[in-house]
Amino acid sequence: HVQLVESGGDSVETGGPLRLSCTFSGNTYALYYMAWFRRTPENGREGVAYIDTDGGTDYTYSVAGRFTISRDNAKNTLYLQMNNLRPEDTAIYYCAADHFRLNLGSGYRYWGQGTQVTVSS
């Protein structure tokens, strides 16, 4: 049974960096496609960044050039490096996993519990 646990959420000032982590357990991590999503009351859930099993990545337009998704298959861990944070990046961030290539679509089978990121102006 796949389990995902996010960590690293915090309160930061505009322009600051933050790195989120997501630990994966319960199956062979290297076989899973992974993504980061975020949720706000105003915008609902939004796909932020995606990484496939070969390391290929994709980003939503608003974070491209500021955020970097990566994975360490030896540590069963997914990362999201966030730089130049803006108040509009404030959200609960979730990692997601699936056996199928879903890119930034929301049909992922496995989800973490979320971690709060707050960016103050």
Side-chain angles (χ1 to χ4, degrees):
H1 176 66
V2 171
Q3 289 189 308
L4 304 172
V5 179
E6 302 96 337
S7 61
D10 204 347
S11 296
V12 298
E13 294 185 349
T14 297
L18 196 63
R19 188 176 82 158
L20 305 182
S21 300
C22 170
T23 58
F24 175 105
S25 63
N27 212 311
T28 304
Y29 175 61
L31 299 180
Y32 280 75
Y33 299 87
M34 304 293 298
W36 286 99
F37 288 78
R38 63 187 179 188
R39 181 187 294 274
T40 64
E42 299 82 12
N43 298 323
R45 187 168 62 190
E46 174 190 29
V48 175
Y50 160 83
I51 188 166
D52 66 25
T53 55
D54 294 328
T57 60
D58 194 16
Y59 300 89
T60 193
Y61 177 79
S62 63
V63 309
R66 299 187 297 123
F67 291 11
T68 302
I69 188 172
S70 61
R71 64 189 300 161
D72 186 335
N73 289 344
K75 295 182 178 179
N76 287 359
T77 302
L78 177 74
Y79 302 100
L80 184 68
Q81 177 67 45
M82 305 185 291
N83 296 326
N84 192 19
L85 281 161
R86 305 167 180 169
E88 55 264 38
D89 296 317
T90 295
I92 301 174
Y93 284 73
Y94 301 86
C95 64
D98 202 283
H99 257 309
F100 297 99
R101 184 191 302 269
L102 298 175
N103 203 308
L104 295 178
S106 61
Y108 283 79
R109 180 173 182 180
Y110 301 105
W111 295 82
Q113 82 290 347
T115 187
Q116 176 71 48
V117 172
T118 302
V119 185
S120 59
S121 57

